[in-house]
Each structure stands twice: as structure tokens, then as C-alpha cells.
Amino acid sequence: MSTTVNSSYSIKRRLSLQLVGSAAILATILFILVLNFARQVSVQSQDNILTASATSILDSTSIRSGEVSVDIPYSALSMLGNVSEDRVFYRISAAGVFLTGYSDLPDSKTQGAEQQNAELDRSFITAQYKGESIRMVSATRQLSVLGEPIDITVSVAQTRNGQSEILAQISSTALILGLGFFIISAALAVFAVQSSVRPLHRLAVSVSRRGPKDLRPVQSPVPAEMIPLVISLNSFIARLKTSLARSEDFIAEAAHRVRTPLATVRVQAEVVLRQVEKHQNRIALKEMIRTIDESSRAAGQLLDHAMVTFRTDHLERKSFELADLVLDLAERMRPVAGMRDIEIAVLTCDHSQILGDPILIQSAVQNILDNAIKYSPPDQTISINVQSQNGSISVQISDRGPGFTNNDSARLTERFVRGDNAADTVGSGLGLTIAKEVAKAHGGDLILNNRQQGGGACVSIYFPS
Amino acid sequence: MRFLLVEDNQNLAMAVVNRLSLDGHVVDHAPNITTAENYTSTTAFDLILLDIMLPDGDGRSFLKEHRKQQNNTPVIVLTARSEISDRVGMLDLGADDYITKPFDFGELEARCRAVLRRRAGNGTNAKNIGNLIFDPLAGTLTVGQKTVTLRNKELRLLEVLFGAPEMIFSKPKLVDRLFSYDEDVSENAIEVYVARLRKHLDGSTVHITTVRGLGYRLSLP
């Protein structure tokens, strides 16, 4: 049985996506924060050293005999070398006039300093110089030359290769940190989602694993959130159980109510027939008996068909030997066949096991055999072959009756359709329908043929072995 | 033969009793399980016909109890239930066979015969007349040293004639006894079987005599 259910979304997928998405956002934020912080720290520390260097150069400027004299202390530049291998540039100017160093270093004032410290009169800029990115600090001090104040400006710059190397290192560490954070929280999220969805899955499995007749309420413990679901499921099961029991009772009761009076009428008609001499009365009585047979057969097959439909919807499979079933059935049908001197011969008997519902398969084979007996002329043999080939096992039942017309083969397995050659025989037109439905439910097929030699019908029912 | 019929429907029971009596059988009727158990504990039956839905319980519980007490009388279940699972269950509980209501008496007879043949050894029911031995259960006829197995229709014709020797049976009556009602058979078909039986009886002291215009009868020596 396959049913389609409208699925609006998957809780599992939705929850996983949400949790993994949040983990990704958090990991990105973490990455950006760490990177920014590292960048700030490294810029800050470079700035501090540059400032210290500039300040120490500025400290060493003095006025000697009316001239500005600069004695660059060794430590001022070596402290920069300690930090990294980066190149260092400097420029010293007095009152805007270049004194010493690299004259083409960008001017800290005109280039627009990014960070002014008014008190100490320092400015920091990041600029391009000789094709490289540099960080430069400029510090200014006022000296008095001959009673006139002069601004001494010292600019110290350093390339930023070392810094960007450190930054690259830190950013790759931050990336690993973020990724690790993401992976761990995603894994935790998936685990959490699965463990919270697992009870649902377990419930589904325990319900779907049940046999077709298992209609007990669900009793295994479930999480509190699922209790309303299980309560309504249980009440649904209870309702289904009552309604199934009611319809089974109804079928049994209906059969009993219909068949017992029919049986009474039939037996009484037979008794009367034995005592009646008049030809017309005898014909009427026989007609009556035939009609009773027809209606009871139709009622029986309708009920059987209902049963077959019910059972094929909830197929209960079990492993058994098909040949055993066929031999039992042949034995049971022999007295009926014997009434018309018809032999039932089981010619080949393959002892393979098949997987299926024995009650359904018995019903199918019995219907085919019933037909064979009904349509076979007296004093003939019905032959049965149980064979297995190409992964399927078949029961082939052949009679010497009128067989099928070309017209028959396709439509005989439809409900209430009877063969062109069936006019004189009691029947309901459901026998082969039942056989076909049982075969199809087991993944097999029913094939109607005429015998090659000697005429008669040959009906084969196939099941996968 | 002696039958026990366990059936709660009075009309059906009476009809079956009448019908079986016509064939010369003795039938006791029990309308419920209690009466049936009283019968089986005091009388030996050849066969029990058992209905399933009974007023004081389920025929299946009677069947179980019956087999538990080592009672070997064959049981044929008369069922009105249609579920196949139900019918299969009967056989598991120890029923010898089942037949669905409404049933054809021909089929009931055939099933009784098959059950009795399975149960009893051959020869126990044989009738012995002069140099002729007729065993209806085994379906054999022995004349002198020669034994033939009778075909079903021959057997039933001989049984009918043996049931009431010297009585005249008309052709239509014989057709009723031999053929089921959905077979369209001409009365002349009887002549074929009479001819075959006469051939088998050749050499014995028993004859089938034609009574012109009336039918046939079995003449004993």
C-alpha cells in the first residue's frame, strides 16, 4: 500500500539549517572581531615604537651656536629594527625646511594626518612610499633659535611588511578558530536535531512494523511534546479496531443469515424432488435449485472478494511450500471432481518455498481449480504442474473444457465478466478476478491460454520465488 | 450409516434429517453443544456433521474437546462463514473436511465417502452376495476372482440399486441421484452406465433388470 502525504517541510532539515546558519554567523563574527582586534593591536604597537623613536630623535635635537643640530641616537633606529626586518625612513625638518633624511617622504601635515594628538603634536599616517606601504609618525617640537621659535618636525616611517606578515598569521589563526567553532557547533546542532527527532522516527517505525492485525495502542514512552500525537493515534487505532471488528462481524453474520435459509430451501427442494413425479414440477424444482446455487455462489464469492481485497491491502507474508498447498487443495477437491469422474493429477511438483499469504494463495488456486472442474467434461483429467523457472514459481492448471475465445483472455479477469463459453454453467464472474488480484498483490501474474494439443483451457498463476 | 447432525437451525436440521433418511441413513439431531456431547458420550456414530455458530458456544470448542477425548469419529464442518482463514482453521482443529452452506448433497455424500475411506480400512463395509463382493468405500466390485475399480458414476448407481434391491428406479430419479443439478444430462445417459455395470456384473448372480416403461431394478438370486 502506498500513500502520498503532503510534506510542507522537514523539521529536521529546517532545524539543522537554522542551527548551522546561526553557527556560521557566530563564527564569522568571531573571525572578524579577532582580526580587527589583532590589526588594532599591531598598528598600535608599531605606532608606539615609531613614536618612541621619533620622540627620542626629537629629544636629541638641540641648538648649537644658533644652528639646529641633530644627533640621531643609535637606539632610535635600532629599536625599530628589533621589531622586524622592515626598512626605516626618517626626515627631519626645521620650520618647514628639510634638514636631513629622505626628503621625499610624504608630508605628515599636507597628506592629511589621520590621527592627531594635539597636545604632543603628533600625527600618524599610512601612505605609499617607493612602491611600498608605510606607516609614518611625525612629531614636532619647538626650539628657540636666537629668541625666535622654530618648529622642528621629525618623521619616522617604517614599511609594513612585517606587520602584514603577522596579520596574515593572525588572520589564518582566526580563520581556523572560526572554522573550528563552526564545525563543532554544526556537529552539535546536527546531533541535537537528530536526537530530538529520533522519538518521532522510533514511533513511526514501531507503528509501521506492526503486522496487519496488530491494533494495540502505542505504549512505549514518548517525549512530553509527542503525547497529544500518540493520544490521537491511539484513539484512531481504537476506532479502526472497532470498525474492522464490526465489518468482520457483519460479513460473518450476513453470510450466516443468507446462507442458512438458502441451505434449508435447497435441501427441502432436493427432498421434494425425490418425491415428485410430474415432469414439469421436476423441471421447476431443478431450476429452483440451480438458482439457489447461483445466488449462494455469488454471495460467497462477493464475500471472498471483499476478504481478498482486505488482505491484499495488508499483505501478511510468510514462507511456505507452494507444492504442499496445491497437493492439499487437489486432495480436497477430488471428491467434488470425482462426482463427474474427473481426475485431478498433479504431474510436476517443485518443492521451492515461496513468500506470501497462504490463505490468499489458496483462495486463488482454489478458484482456478474450481473453474477447471466446472468447465471440464466428465471422464477427463485436470492436470496440475507446479514448476519453478527464471526466479518465479507457477501453478499451471489445464482442463479439457471449451477453453477461452480470443475475446475472453483480456477481459475475463475483470469483475463480473464471464467467458463466451460459460453460458450453461453456474458462476459469478469473480473467480479469475480474485486469482488475478492475489497474483498481482504478490508481484506475480495470471495468464490465460488454450492448450496446444487436444484443446482446453490452461491457466497459470505466477509468483516470484 | 449413523449420523450426528449438530445444527441449531430447526428448519435446516429437519430438512437434512429427511434428506439423509431418504438414502437410508439414521440421523440423530442435536440442536446445541450440550446435547451433542450427551450423544457422543453414549452412542457411536459413523460421522458427525457440525455447524459452527451454535447457541451455547462455538462449534470449534466442541471439535477441540471431541479430539481431546480421543474420539475418532470423523467430523465434517458445515460452515456459513465465508472467511477462508476460518475454514482453514477448522482443519487445523481436527475437522476432517468442511462444506459451505448451502451445500449440494451430492458433494456432501462425496466428501463423506472420501473422509470415511481415509479413516477406515478397505473391506469393512463390503457387501457380500453370492460370488459378488461390493465394497462401496473402496469403490471395488469383485466377481469371482476378478476385481474392478468402479468409476464414480458406476459406483453411485450400484449403491443406489443395492440400497433397495428389487425396487424399481425410474430414469429421471436415477439422473437426480447421479448428476448434479447444474449438469444438463439426457435420461439416456443412464443407459450408458447401466450397460457398463451389467458388463462388470457379468458372471455373478446379481442382475440389473430393465422394467419396460418404468425403469431399472436390481434382481438378487
Side-chain angles (χ1 to χ4, degrees):
Chain A
M1 189 177 53
S2 70
T3 46
T4 50
V5 177
N6 285 330
S7 151
S8 57
Y9 64 88
S10 148
I11 292 185
K12 202 163 153 182
R13 198 179 308 147
R14 183 174 273 199
L15 206 55
S16 313
L17 251 136
Q18 283 171 350
L19 287 174
V20 170
S22 334
I25 292 169
L26 286 177
T28 314
I29 291 173
L30 180 76
F31 172 72
I32 291 168
L33 283 180
V34 168
L35 207 59
N36 270 340
F37 183 66
R39 186 172 290 142
Q40 266 179 27
V41 168
S42 82
V43 168
Q44 189 84 56
S45 66
Q46 196 182 26
D47 284 357
N48 287 344
I49 299 169
L50 284 171
T51 308
S53 164
T55 313
S56 80
I57 293 173
L58 211 51
D59 279 348
S60 66
T61 52
S62 56
I63 305 294
R64 233 174 259 167
S65 48
E67 295 270 304
V68 179
S69 133
V70 184
D71 184 15
I72 297 172
Y74 172 71
S75 63
L77 297 178
S78 72
M79 70 168 92
L80 284 165
N82 284 342
V83 180
S84 65
E85 299 290 303
D86 279 317
R87 294 160 65 197
V88 178
F89 311 97
Y90 69 93
R91 180 185 60 194
I92 302 167
S93 53
V97 181
F98 170 75
L99 288 182
T100 179
Y102 297 79
S103 62
D104 51 352
L105 266 181
D107 190 344
S108 63
K109 296 275 163 22
T110 54
Q111 297 275 331
E114 61 187 54
Q115 215 178 344
Q116 290 278 354
N117 190 321
E119 237 176 277
L120 291 165
D121 201 10
R122 285 178 206 148
S123 66
F124 303 89
I125 60 166
T126 306
Q128 286 297 118
Y129 180 65
K130 292 183 192 285
E132 280 183 276
S133 174
I134 54 163
R135 181 73 178 170
M136 187 174 87
V137 60
S138 305
T140 307
R141 182 182 168 201
Q142 269 190 351
L143 288 177
S144 164
V145 180
L146 305 172
E148 235 173 274
I150 298 177
D151 281 343
I152 309 288
T153 303
V154 174
S155 299
V156 181
Q158 191 178 26
T159 54
R160 303 183 347 137
N161 292 334
Q163 194 195 18
S164 42
E165 219 167 84
I166 291 169
L167 264 181
Q169 262 177 29
I170 290 176
S171 70
S172 73
T173 311
L175 193 65
I176 288 168
L177 195 71
L179 265 178
F181 175 82
F182 172 73
I183 288 169
I184 290 171
S185 40
L188 283 174
V190 169
F191 174 75
V193 167
Q194 273 182 344
S195 70
S196 58
V197 172
R198 196 172 301 130
L200 270 177
H201 183 65
R202 219 170 18 223
L203 178 70
V205 167
S206 82
V207 171
S208 63
R209 255 205 207 134
R210 291 171 168 225
K213 291 200 173 146
D214 186 355
L215 290 176
R216 288 170 300 147
V218 175
Q219 275 171 339
S220 48
V222 292
E225 289 79 3
M226 276 167 62
I227 285 175
L229 174 68
V230 170
I231 287 175
S232 43
L233 182 65
N234 279 348
S235 89
F236 183 74
I237 289 176
R239 266 182 291 151
L240 181 67
K241 197 173 170 178
T242 346
S243 113
L244 278 184
R246 206 177 290 149
S247 66
E248 262 183 58
D249 283 354
F250 177 77
I251 290 180
E253 186 65 25
H256 189 78
R257 297 269 171 200
V258 171
R259 286 181 159 166
T260 306
L262 277 178
T264 312
V265 176
R266 195 190 195 284
V267 176
Q268 275 170 345
E270 278 192 60
V271 172
V272 175
L273 185 62
R274 287 281 286 270
Q275 293 155 346
V276 165
E277 301 287 348
K278 204 173 162 194
H279 184 65
Q280 271 159 321
N281 294 348
R282 295 176 62 81
I283 289 182
L285 279 169
K286 283 189 186 178
E287 197 46 53
M288 190 170 138
I289 291 173
R290 279 183 68 134
T291 313
I292 293 168
D293 284 348
E294 203 155 342
S295 58
S296 68
R297 204 181 153 79
Q301 286 209 308
L302 278 172
L303 293 168
D304 273 2
H305 185 245
M307 188 275 307
V308 164
T309 312
F310 176 77
R311 283 184 85 98
T312 48
D313 277 353
H314 313 264
L315 201 58
E316 212 170 353
R317 287 171 191 275
K318 143 181 176 188
S319 177
F320 65 97
E321 207 173 283
L322 183 59
D324 277 351
L325 186 148
V326 172
L327 286 173
D328 278 354
L329 207 55
E331 188 57 40
R332 212 193 103 72
M333 300 303 282
R334 271 198 185 106
V336 183
M339 288 165 64
R340 290 171 56 227
D341 283 323
I342 295 165
E343 288 274 331
I344 299 179
V346 182
L347 299 179
T348 47
C349 211
D350 184 277
H351 291 277
S352 310
Q353 297 271 326
I354 74 165
L355 199 64
D357 183 336
I359 287 172
L360 283 181
I361 293 176
Q362 189 195 8
S363 169
V365 179
Q366 174 159 9
N367 272 297
I368 302 172
L369 193 52
D370 260 344
N371 276 342
I373 294 171
K374 258 183 357 195
Y375 293 106
S376 167
D379 293 303
Q380 294 290 346
T381 299
I382 292 169
S383 31
I384 304 182
N385 291 294
V386 185
Q387 294 157 311
S388 76
Q389 54 179 341
N390 305 334
S392 75
I393 178 161
S394 66
V395 182
Q396 184 191 61
I397 298 178
S398 317
D399 62 49
R400 288 286 178 206
F404 303 109
T405 62
N406 289 337
N407 193 12
D408 283 346
S409 308
R411 33 169 227 124
L412 265 188
T413 51
E414 288 167 30
R415 256 186 250 184
F416 307 118
V417 173
R418 304 194 56 212
D420 293 343
N421 293 336
D424 295 330
T425 316
V426 174
S428 65
L430 272 174
L432 290 178
T433 313
I434 291 175
K436 179 104 174 179
E437 280 175 19
V438 170
K440 288 281 183 200
H442 287 83
D445 204 1
L446 182 82
I447 292 176
L448 311 180
N449 272 321
N450 283 326
R451 290 174 88 168
Q452 298 290 317
Q453 290 175 334
C458 170
V459 179
S460 308
I461 185 163
Y462 291 87
F463 299 102
S465 55
Chain B
M1 282 209 303
R2 184 156 195 156
F3 283 86
L4 174 63
L5 172 68
V6 190
E7 164 66 62
D8 64 325
N9 185 300
Q10 197 65 25
N11 290 335
L12 178 61
M14 286 299 80
V16 173
V17 169
N18 284 341
R19 176 63 182 77
L20 285 170
S21 308
L22 281 180
D23 287 341
H25 300 297
V26 180
V27 190
D28 289 307
H29 169 224
N32 52 45
I33 291 180
T34 323
T35 321
E37 277 167 351
N38 286 341
Y39 269 118
T40 49
S41 58
T42 53
T43 319
F45 291 96
D46 294 307
L47 224 153
I48 298 173
L49 301 177
L50 176 67
D51 183 28
I52 287 304
M53 286 178 166
L54 290 164
D56 57 344
D58 195 306
R60 280 170 289 198
S61 56
F62 170 79
L63 194 59
K64 232 155 111 186
E65 197 56 34
H66 181 73
R67 289 292 177 240
K68 221 193 257 169
Q69 287 168 5
Q70 309 277 307
N71 194 326
N72 279 329
T73 316
V75 176
I76 293 181
V77 169
L78 310 177
T79 174
R81 317 252 299 223
S82 62
E83 299 103 285
I84 295 166
S85 55
D86 213 66
R87 297 183 230 155
V88 175
M90 302 296 172
L91 299 184
D92 292 339
L93 281 175
D96 292 81
D97 206 346
Y98 60 82
I99 190 164
T100 314
K101 291 178 193 172
F103 42 85
D104 174 31
F105 254 88
E107 184 182 339
L108 182 62
E109 266 175 39
R111 293 208 175 278
C112 291
R113 206 192 310 276
V115 163
L116 290 171
R117 189 160 50 223
R118 274 205 298 267
R119 283 293 178 127
N122 288 346
T124 45
N125 280 40
K127 288 173 184 157
N128 207 332
I129 301 162
N131 63 344
L132 175 147
I133 303 164
F134 173 42
D135 186 340
L137 270 189
T140 55
L141 181 68
T142 310
V143 178
Q145 298 301 310
K146 205 181 94 198
T147 300
V148 287
T149 304
L150 296 171
R151 310 214 59 169
N152 186 277
K153 291 271 191 290
E154 301 164 7
L155 170 66
R156 293 186 54 204
L157 177 57
L158 192 58
E159 253 191 319
V160 168
L161 295 174
F162 254 103
E166 306 294 351
M167 185 173 143
I168 299 170
F169 290 91
S170 69
K171 279 186 194 172
K173 291 263 168 116
L174 289 173
V175 168
D176 290 351
R177 302 285 291 268
L178 261 59
F179 295 94
S180 72
Y181 298 98
D182 57 351
E183 285 176 281
D184 280 320
V185 219
S186 88
E187 289 169 2
N188 294 333
I190 291 296
E191 290 170 16
V192 177
Y193 294 102
V194 169
R196 284 194 203 165
L197 266 189
R198 279 183 173 148
K199 214 171 123 197
H200 293 318
L201 288 170
D202 202 23
S204 78
T205 49
V206 176
H207 300 285
I208 298 173
T209 318
T210 309
V211 184
R212 196 162 294 278
L214 291 176
Y216 300 98
R217 73 159 180 241
L218 192 76
S219 318
L220 299 181

